[in-house]
Amino acid sequence: MCVVLKQLEKDAVKSFRSQFGIPPTHLVVAPGRVNLMGEHIDYHGGCVLPAAIAKYTLMAARPASGKRGDVATFYTKNLNQTAHISLSDIPKFRHGDWRNYITGVLAGFSKTSVMNRGFDAAIVSNIPIGAGLSSSAALEVATATLLESLTGFQLKPLDKALLCQQAEHQFAGVPCGIMDQFTCIYGQENRLIFLDCHSQDHTYVPLPDAELQLLVMNSMVQHELASSEYAIRKKECAAALTKLNAISWRDVSQEHLQANRTRLSESEMRRARHVVSEIERTQKMVNALQAGDLEMIARLMHASHISLRDDFQVSCKELDLLVDIAEEISPVGGIFGSRMTGGGFGGCTVSLVQRENAEKIMGQISSRYQAQTRIQPDGFITPLTAGARMLPLSPVSS
Ligand code: GLA
């Protein structure tokens, strides 16, 4: 097993013990994700191409005894904060912080299964918050997986993803698509997920070459716009779709868009151009991966970033700089494409890099980015990993 995960397991168990004074009896993990292609497409019913990564949120837990029988207590080591949530009276309001995600999942889970016994849980995570790597989906999915473990009631994987998405909609107020929660649950080692967000069918696609790896560069900036602009994009696209007289973006071709361009405002046209072209690019990306066409992969990633920057307008100068530096290094230096990943307005880029040069490339990007921004980026090379699951508690760790 991955060394990082092993260490986090120990941290979770240790954190539980020091907070609650006894060893935990349950342990679960949920990964973060990157998306290789199909950005801002999941909530338009298109296809996306994400993968779970080696960044994780873990929860160690134990059923409570005595008076606190109906209270779930969550302690987060990263924030050094504790939340007490009554299971017989789950709050319906938004807390405005990390508790939203947990409360939302508790509320959803309580509709499908009886939760009549309180518990204590310690959370540890190495997924950076607000970096576009789905730390919130991992928190939701870890909570749902923990509830499955504690109650013995297993949700169907798709129901679990939908429940977690609802938690985000209703308790965090973000009208997100299904990609993040789905990836966090359905992730598989060494595979990207080709997910049709309309039918929710999926297949798995490997990287074309064992010599390729994903390099994630965290710009370390996070612009406030992220969640407000997300909802705005969703509304703009809905308005454009109506004006295009279409029910689904999947039915809008480039030709139809061009023929109807006068019906759209300039910004609606930009949004529409991104959605239509990104839906096409995702299918082309799958073909290119299957054909091992590295030149095409790099070209598609470049086009996707430009479209997100200029048409969907969800990038920022720091992400653009990371992509520019990666493109300067180019296939000659071992990079086969780079683009922003996730919601945007800060966060991370994802690049496909040659394994043997990966560390060197990360160093080159870091130093050039730091020289121009005075910000130290956080880069990591990640395998594609398995989705959320319960973990055995080894006698040593408990
Ligand atoms: C966020 C949302 C996802 C998706 C991406 C953009 O991560 O949670 O549903 O829309 O942004 O692709």
Side-chain angles (χ1 to χ4, degrees):
M1 184 196 286
C2 140
V3 183
V4 178
L5 183 53
K6 235 9 255 147
Q7 186 55 49
L8 283 166
E9 272 186 51
K10 283 190 191 149
D11 290 352
V13 170
K14 195 168 153 210
S15 170
F16 185 94
R17 267 178 178 276
S18 66
Q19 198 61 24
F20 302 107
I22 39 173
T25 50
H26 296 71
L27 185 64
V28 299
V29 60
R33 66 100 192 87
V34 286
N35 185 22
L36 200 64
M37 190 59 72
E39 214 64 81
H40 286 275
I41 289 304
D42 58 346
Y43 54 98
H44 294 123
C47 294
V48 293
L49 196 57
I53 57 172
K55 291 278 175 192
Y56 305 100
T57 292
L58 279 81
M59 290 188 184
R62 182 180 187 114
S65 51
K67 277 196 294 203
R68 292 178 304 115
D70 122 287
V71 173
T73 298
F74 288 86
Y75 168 72
T76 142
K77 187 182 170 222
N78 298 59
L79 303 174
N80 192 23
Q81 287 177 13
T82 303
H84 302 285
I85 302 165
S86 162
L87 295 177
S88 54
D89 186 19
I90 297 170
K92 293 185 178 47
F93 52 87
R94 294 182 188 160
H95 304 274
D97 58 26
W98 61 279
R99 291 172 295 173
N100 290 334
Y101 307 106
I102 289 172
T103 311
V105 173
L106 287 172
F109 202 88
S110 68
K111 290 185 194 146
T112 62
S113 166
V114 181
M115 287 192 300
N116 53 12
R117 187 155 180 210
F119 58 89
D120 298 323
I123 310 167
V124 298
S125 181
N126 68 349
I127 309 176
I129 295 171
L133 300 177
S134 287
S135 60
S136 54
L139 188 53
E140 290 151 8
V141 172
T143 307
T145 309
L146 181 64
L147 295 176
E148 289 178 313
S149 178
L150 288 165
T151 61
F153 178 79
Q154 297 279 315
L155 292 160
K156 288 189 185 128
L158 183 57
D159 290 345
K160 184 169 158 183
L162 292 167
L163 186 156
C164 292
Q165 183 195 25
Q166 278 310 306
E168 182 116 9
H169 285 192
Q170 290 167 6
F171 283 76
V174 180
C176 65
I178 192 66
M179 173 171 77
D180 302 349
Q181 292 80 6
F182 195 99
T183 310
C184 186
I185 292 166
Y186 284 83
Q188 272 196 3
E189 277 182 24
N190 303 321
R191 301 271 182 278
L192 295 152
I193 306 173
F194 183 41
L195 166 65
D196 179 330
C197 299
H198 176 67
S199 66
Q200 287 153 354
D201 289 339
H202 69 288
T203 52
Y204 292 98
V205 183
L207 290 176
D209 185 334
E211 290 313 305
L212 285 180
Q213 285 193 306
L214 294 187
L215 168 65
V216 179
M217 294 298 306
N218 186 348
S219 65
M220 304 302 276
V221 299
Q222 183 188 357
H223 297 288
E224 279 310 308
L225 291 168
S227 62
S228 57
E229 287 292 319
Y230 192 96
I232 293 172
R233 292 295 175 283
K234 198 167 173 176
K235 279 196 189 132
E236 288 172 327
C237 289
L241 192 63
T242 307
K243 291 185 188 172
L244 290 166
N245 215 2
I247 308 274
S248 158
W249 282 104
R250 304 272 282 262
D251 304 330
V252 181
S253 62
Q254 298 278 9
E255 294 71 31
H256 182 76
L257 183 58
Q258 287 308 325
N260 290 280
R261 59 178 309 147
T262 53
R263 295 184 181 196
L264 305 185
S265 69
E266 196 213 318
S267 77
E268 285 167 348
M269 183 63 192
R270 283 178 187 273
R271 309 302 180 242
R273 222 163 29 209
H274 170 71
V275 175
V276 172
S277 63
E278 187 81 352
I279 286 176
E280 283 181 9
R281 271 190 295 275
T282 309
Q283 183 59 59
K284 286 186 185 160
M285 187 67 161
V286 173
N287 299 344
L289 286 166
Q290 285 167 345
D293 186 344
L294 295 181
E295 202 188 312
M296 177 58 88
I297 290 171
R299 231 182 308 148
L300 290 167
M301 285 180 78
H302 172 79
S304 174
H305 186 78
I306 300 302
S307 178
L308 288 158
R309 185 190 72 189
D310 297 346
D311 280 345
F312 218 62
Q313 298 180 306
V314 290
S315 186
C316 63
K317 63 179 190 325
E318 294 85 358
L319 288 172
D320 296 342
L321 177 61
L322 284 171
V323 169
D324 287 348
I325 297 170
E327 292 196 341
E328 275 161 33
I329 298 171
S330 85
V332 178
I335 296 199
F336 302 96
S338 185
R339 59 184 280 281
M340 58 155 276
T341 187
F345 301 104
C348 296
T349 60
V350 59
S351 311
L352 265 180
V353 297
Q354 230 167 28
R355 186 181 293 266
E356 59 175 340
N357 289 322
E359 291 284 344
K360 185 173 145 208
I361 291 169
M362 190 163 78
Q364 286 172 328
I365 299 181
S366 295
S367 56
R368 292 191 208 172
Y369 180 79
Q370 195 177 2
Q372 293 194 47
T373 58
R374 297 185 187 282
I375 302 168
Q376 169 81 59
D378 182 22
F380 61 94
I381 297 150
T382 181
L384 313 185
T385 66
R389 61 205 179 274
M390 298 166 201
L391 294 171
L393 270 164
S394 59
V396 183
S397 59
S398 62

Short mmCIF file of all heavy atoms in Angstrom, two decimals, residues 92-132:
data_model
loop_
_atom_site.label_atom_id
_atom_site.label_comp_id
_atom_site.label_asym_id
_atom_site.label_seq_id
_atom_site.Cartn_x
_atom_site.Cartn_y
_atom_site.Cartn_z
N LYS A 92 -30.90 21.73 9.79
CA LYS A 92 -31.31 21.87 8.39
C LYS A 92 -30.63 23.07 7.75
O LYS A 92 -30.79 23.33 6.58
CB LYS A 92 -32.82 22.03 8.32
CG LYS A 92 -33.53 20.77 8.76
CD LYS A 92 -35.02 20.82 8.60
CE LYS A 92 -35.65 19.49 9.01
NZ LYS A 92 -35.16 18.96 10.29
N PHE A 93 -29.90 23.82 8.56
CA PHE A 93 -29.30 25.06 8.05
C PHE A 93 -27.86 24.84 7.62
O PHE A 93 -27.25 23.82 7.90
CB PHE A 93 -29.35 26.13 9.14
CG PHE A 93 -28.77 25.67 10.45
CD1 PHE A 93 -27.40 25.80 10.70
CD2 PHE A 93 -29.58 25.10 11.41
CE1 PHE A 93 -26.87 25.36 11.89
CE2 PHE A 93 -29.04 24.66 12.61
CZ PHE A 93 -27.68 24.78 12.85
N ARG A 94 -27.32 25.88 6.96
CA ARG A 94 -25.92 25.85 6.54
C ARG A 94 -25.06 26.46 7.63
O ARG A 94 -25.34 27.55 8.10
CB ARG A 94 -25.74 26.65 5.27
CG ARG A 94 -26.46 26.04 4.11
CD ARG A 94 -26.22 26.85 2.85
NE ARG A 94 -27.09 26.34 1.81
CZ ARG A 94 -27.44 27.00 0.73
NH1 ARG A 94 -26.98 28.21 0.53
NH2 ARG A 94 -28.23 26.47 -0.17
N HIS A 95 -24.00 25.75 8.01
CA HIS A 95 -23.10 26.29 9.02
C HIS A 95 -22.14 27.32 8.41
O HIS A 95 -21.58 28.13 9.11
CB HIS A 95 -22.24 25.19 9.64
CG HIS A 95 -23.02 24.06 10.24
ND1 HIS A 95 -23.49 24.10 11.52
CD2 HIS A 95 -23.40 22.87 9.73
CE1 HIS A 95 -24.13 22.96 11.78
NE2 HIS A 95 -24.08 22.20 10.71
N GLY A 96 -21.91 27.18 7.10
CA GLY A 96 -20.95 28.09 6.45
C GLY A 96 -19.52 27.61 6.57
O GLY A 96 -18.59 28.37 6.35
N ASP A 97 -19.29 26.36 6.92
CA ASP A 97 -17.92 25.85 6.99
C ASP A 97 -17.90 24.34 6.72
O ASP A 97 -18.87 23.79 6.17
CB ASP A 97 -17.26 26.20 8.33
CG ASP A 97 -18.05 25.65 9.51
OD1 ASP A 97 -18.76 24.64 9.35
OD2 ASP A 97 -17.97 26.23 10.61
N TRP A 98 -16.84 23.66 7.12
CA TRP A 98 -16.66 22.23 6.82
C TRP A 98 -17.80 21.37 7.34
O TRP A 98 -18.05 20.28 6.82
CB TRP A 98 -15.32 21.75 7.40
CG TRP A 98 -15.21 21.87 8.90
CD1 TRP A 98 -14.91 23.00 9.60
CD2 TRP A 98 -15.42 20.84 9.86
NE1 TRP A 98 -14.91 22.75 10.95
CE2 TRP A 98 -15.21 21.43 11.14
CE3 TRP A 98 -15.74 19.50 9.80
CZ2 TRP A 98 -15.34 20.70 12.33
CZ3 TRP A 98 -15.87 18.77 10.99
CH2 TRP A 98 -15.66 19.37 12.23
N ARG A 99 -18.51 21.84 8.37
CA ARG A 99 -19.60 21.03 8.93
C ARG A 99 -20.75 20.84 7.94
O ARG A 99 -21.51 19.89 8.04
CB ARG A 99 -20.13 21.70 10.21
CG ARG A 99 -19.14 21.65 11.35
CD ARG A 99 -19.62 22.46 12.52
NE ARG A 99 -19.70 23.88 12.20
CZ ARG A 99 -20.23 24.81 12.98
NH1 ARG A 99 -20.74 24.47 14.14
NH2 ARG A 99 -20.25 26.08 12.61
N ASN A 100 -20.87 21.79 6.96
CA ASN A 100 -21.93 21.66 5.95
C ASN A 100 -21.93 20.28 5.29
O ASN A 100 -22.96 19.67 5.10
CB ASN A 100 -21.71 22.65 4.79
CG ASN A 100 -21.96 24.07 5.21
OD1 ASN A 100 -22.71 24.31 6.14
ND2 ASN A 100 -21.31 24.98 4.52
N TYR A 101 -20.72 19.87 4.89
CA TYR A 101 -20.60 18.65 4.08
C TYR A 101 -21.00 17.43 4.91
O TYR A 101 -21.67 16.53 4.42
CB TYR A 101 -19.16 18.51 3.57
CG TYR A 101 -18.69 19.77 2.86
CD1 TYR A 101 -17.78 20.65 3.46
CD2 TYR A 101 -19.19 20.11 1.62
CE1 TYR A 101 -17.38 21.81 2.82
CE2 TYR A 101 -18.80 21.26 0.97
CZ TYR A 101 -17.90 22.11 1.58
OH TYR A 101 -17.52 23.26 0.94
N ILE A 102 -20.58 17.44 6.15
CA ILE A 102 -20.88 16.30 7.03
C ILE A 102 -22.36 16.28 7.38
O ILE A 102 -23.03 15.25 7.28
CB ILE A 102 -19.99 16.40 8.29
CG1 ILE A 102 -18.55 16.10 7.88
CG2 ILE A 102 -20.49 15.48 9.39
CD1 ILE A 102 -17.54 16.34 8.95
N THR A 103 -22.86 17.45 7.77
CA THR A 103 -24.28 17.52 8.16
C THR A 103 -25.17 17.12 6.99
O THR A 103 -26.16 16.41 7.16
CB THR A 103 -24.64 18.96 8.61
OG1 THR A 103 -23.66 19.38 9.54
CG2 THR A 103 -26.00 19.01 9.26
N GLY A 104 -24.81 17.58 5.79
CA GLY A 104 -25.60 17.26 4.60
C GLY A 104 -25.66 15.76 4.37
O GLY A 104 -26.71 15.21 4.02
N VAL A 105 -24.54 15.09 4.57
CA VAL A 105 -24.52 13.63 4.36
C VAL A 105 -25.30 12.93 5.47
O VAL A 105 -26.06 11.99 5.21
CB VAL A 105 -23.07 13.12 4.27
CG1 VAL A 105 -23.03 11.60 4.21
CG2 VAL A 105 -22.38 13.70 3.04
N LEU A 106 -25.16 13.39 6.70
CA LEU A 106 -25.93 12.78 7.80
C LEU A 106 -27.42 12.92 7.51
O LEU A 106 -28.19 11.97 7.68
CB LEU A 106 -25.60 13.48 9.13
CG LEU A 106 -24.23 13.20 9.74
CD1 LEU A 106 -23.98 14.10 10.94
CD2 LEU A 106 -24.10 11.74 10.17
N ALA A 107 -27.80 14.11 7.03
CA ALA A 107 -29.23 14.35 6.73
C ALA A 107 -29.70 13.39 5.63
O ALA A 107 -30.77 12.78 5.75
CB ALA A 107 -29.44 15.79 6.31
N GLY A 108 -28.91 13.24 4.58
CA GLY A 108 -29.30 12.36 3.47
C GLY A 108 -29.33 10.91 3.91
O GLY A 108 -30.26 10.17 3.59
N PHE A 109 -28.32 10.50 4.66
CA PHE A 109 -28.22 9.10 5.08
C PHE A 109 -29.37 8.73 6.01
O PHE A 109 -29.90 7.62 5.97
CB PHE A 109 -26.88 8.86 5.78
CG PHE A 109 -26.43 7.43 5.78
CD1 PHE A 109 -25.69 6.91 4.74
CD2 PHE A 109 -26.76 6.58 6.85
CE1 PHE A 109 -25.28 5.58 4.74
CE2 PHE A 109 -26.36 5.26 6.87
CZ PHE A 109 -25.61 4.75 5.81
N SER A 110 -29.78 9.69 6.86
CA SER A 110 -30.84 9.39 7.84
C SER A 110 -32.17 9.10 7.13
O SER A 110 -33.06 8.51 7.72
CB SER A 110 -31.00 10.55 8.82
OG SER A 110 -31.52 11.65 8.13
N LYS A 111 -32.28 9.51 5.86
CA LYS A 111 -33.52 9.22 5.14
C LYS A 111 -33.55 7.78 4.65
O LYS A 111 -34.61 7.24 4.34
CB LYS A 111 -33.64 10.14 3.91
CG LYS A 111 -33.90 11.58 4.30
CD LYS A 111 -34.15 12.41 3.06
CE LYS A 111 -34.06 13.89 3.40
NZ LYS A 111 -33.51 14.69 2.33
N THR A 112 -32.38 7.16 4.53
CA THR A 112 -32.35 5.80 3.97
C THR A 112 -32.10 4.73 5.03
O THR A 112 -32.39 3.57 4.81
CB THR A 112 -31.24 5.66 2.90
OG1 THR A 112 -30.00 5.88 3.55
CG2 THR A 112 -31.40 6.62 1.76
N SER A 113 -31.52 5.13 6.15
CA SER A 113 -31.17 4.12 7.14
C SER A 113 -31.31 4.69 8.55
O SER A 113 -31.17 5.90 8.74
CB SER A 113 -29.71 3.71 6.90
OG SER A 113 -29.23 3.00 8.00
N VAL A 114 -31.58 3.82 9.49
CA VAL A 114 -31.73 4.28 10.89
C VAL A 114 -30.34 4.54 11.47
O VAL A 114 -29.46 3.70 11.37
CB VAL A 114 -32.44 3.19 11.73
CG1 VAL A 114 -32.64 3.69 13.17
CG2 VAL A 114 -33.77 2.84 11.10
N MET A 115 -30.17 5.72 12.03
CA MET A 115 -28.91 6.04 12.72
C MET A 115 -29.28 6.35 14.16
O MET A 115 -29.60 7.49 14.49
CB MET A 115 -28.26 7.26 12.09
CG MET A 115 -27.65 7.00 10.74
SD MET A 115 -26.61 8.38 10.23
CE MET A 115 -27.79 9.72 10.21
N ASN A 116 -29.32 5.33 14.98
CA ASN A 116 -29.79 5.60 16.34
C ASN A 116 -28.67 5.53 17.37
O ASN A 116 -28.91 5.56 18.56
CB ASN A 116 -30.95 4.67 16.72
CG ASN A 116 -30.57 3.23 16.48
OD1 ASN A 116 -29.39 2.95 16.25
ND2 ASN A 116 -31.54 2.34 16.52
N ARG A 117 -27.47 5.44 16.88
CA ARG A 117 -26.38 5.36 17.84
C ARG A 117 -25.33 6.41 17.50
O ARG A 117 -24.85 6.48 16.36
CB ARG A 117 -25.76 3.96 17.76
CG ARG A 117 -24.75 3.75 18.82
CD ARG A 117 -24.58 2.29 19.17
NE ARG A 117 -23.58 2.18 20.22
CZ ARG A 117 -22.79 1.15 20.37
NH1 ARG A 117 -22.91 0.12 19.56
NH2 ARG A 117 -21.91 1.10 21.34
N GLY A 118 -25.01 7.23 18.46
CA GLY A 118 -24.00 8.27 18.23
C GLY A 118 -22.62 7.66 18.05
O GLY A 118 -22.42 6.47 18.26
N PHE A 119 -21.69 8.49 17.64
CA PHE A 119 -20.31 8.00 17.45
C PHE A 119 -19.34 9.18 17.52
O PHE A 119 -19.75 10.34 17.44
CB PHE A 119 -20.17 7.26 16.12
CG PHE A 119 -20.54 8.08 14.91
CD1 PHE A 119 -19.60 8.87 14.25
CD2 PHE A 119 -21.85 8.09 14.42
CE1 PHE A 119 -19.94 9.64 13.15
CE2 PHE A 119 -22.20 8.86 13.31
CZ PHE A 119 -21.24 9.63 12.68
N ASP A 120 -18.09 8.82 17.69
CA ASP A 120 -17.02 9.81 17.66
C ASP A 120 -16.16 9.53 16.44
O ASP A 120 -15.93 8.36 16.10
CB ASP A 120 -16.14 9.69 18.91
CG ASP A 120 -16.95 9.97 20.18
OD1 ASP A 120 -17.82 10.86 20.14
OD2 ASP A 120 -16.71 9.28 21.20
N ALA A 121 -15.67 10.59 15.81
CA ALA A 121 -14.83 10.40 14.62
C ALA A 121 -13.71 11.44 14.59
O ALA A 121 -13.92 12.59 14.97
CB ALA A 121 -15.68 10.51 13.35
N ALA A 122 -12.55 10.99 14.13
CA ALA A 122 -11.42 11.92 13.92
C ALA A 122 -11.12 11.95 12.43
O ALA A 122 -11.06 10.90 11.78
CB ALA A 122 -10.20 11.44 14.69
N ILE A 123 -10.96 13.15 11.89
CA ILE A 123 -10.71 13.32 10.45
C ILE A 123 -9.28 13.80 10.24
O ILE A 123 -8.84 14.75 10.91
CB ILE A 123 -11.65 14.40 9.86
CG1 ILE A 123 -13.10 14.16 10.25
CG2 ILE A 123 -11.50 14.49 8.35
CD1 ILE A 123 -14.02 15.34 9.96
N VAL A 124 -8.56 13.16 9.31
CA VAL A 124 -7.28 13.72 8.87
C VAL A 124 -7.30 13.74 7.34
O VAL A 124 -7.95 12.90 6.72
CB VAL A 124 -6.04 12.92 9.36
CG1 VAL A 124 -5.94 12.89 10.85
CG2 VAL A 124 -6.04 11.52 8.78
N SER A 125 -6.60 14.69 6.76
CA SER A 125 -6.61 14.81 5.31
C SER A 125 -5.33 15.46 4.80
O SER A 125 -4.77 16.32 5.48
CB SER A 125 -7.82 15.66 4.89
OG SER A 125 -7.86 15.76 3.48
N ASN A 126 -4.89 15.02 3.63
CA ASN A 126 -3.80 15.75 2.98
C ASN A 126 -4.27 16.34 1.64
O ASN A 126 -3.45 16.67 0.79
CB ASN A 126 -2.55 14.87 2.78
CG ASN A 126 -2.77 13.75 1.78
OD1 ASN A 126 -3.89 13.50 1.37
ND2 ASN A 126 -1.69 13.10 1.37
N ILE A 127 -5.60 16.45 1.47
CA ILE A 127 -6.12 17.10 0.26
C ILE A 127 -6.19 18.60 0.55
O ILE A 127 -6.89 19.01 1.48
CB ILE A 127 -7.54 16.60 -0.11
CG1 ILE A 127 -7.59 15.06 -0.14
CG2 ILE A 127 -7.99 17.19 -1.44
CD1 ILE A 127 -8.98 14.49 -0.41
N PRO A 128 -5.47 19.41 -0.21
CA PRO A 128 -5.52 20.84 0.08
C PRO A 128 -6.94 21.38 -0.12
O PRO A 128 -7.62 21.01 -1.08
CB PRO A 128 -4.53 21.46 -0.91
CG PRO A 128 -4.26 20.42 -1.94
CD PRO A 128 -4.58 19.08 -1.35
N ILE A 129 -7.37 22.24 0.79
CA ILE A 129 -8.73 22.78 0.72
C ILE A 129 -8.78 23.90 -0.34
O ILE A 129 -7.87 24.73 -0.41
CB ILE A 129 -9.16 23.33 2.10
CG1 ILE A 129 -9.24 22.17 3.09
CG2 ILE A 129 -10.49 24.08 2.03
CD1 ILE A 129 -9.44 22.58 4.52
N GLY A 130 -9.82 23.89 -1.15
CA GLY A 130 -10.01 24.96 -2.13
C GLY A 130 -9.01 24.94 -3.27
O GLY A 130 -8.79 25.97 -3.91
N ALA A 131 -8.38 23.80 -3.53
CA ALA A 131 -7.38 23.73 -4.60
C ALA A 131 -7.92 23.05 -5.85
O ALA A 131 -7.17 22.69 -6.75
CB ALA A 131 -6.13 23.01 -4.10
N GLY A 132 -9.23 22.81 -5.89
CA GLY A 132 -9.82 22.19 -7.07
C GLY A 132 -9.56 20.69 -7.14
O GLY A 132 -9.66 20.09 -8.21
#
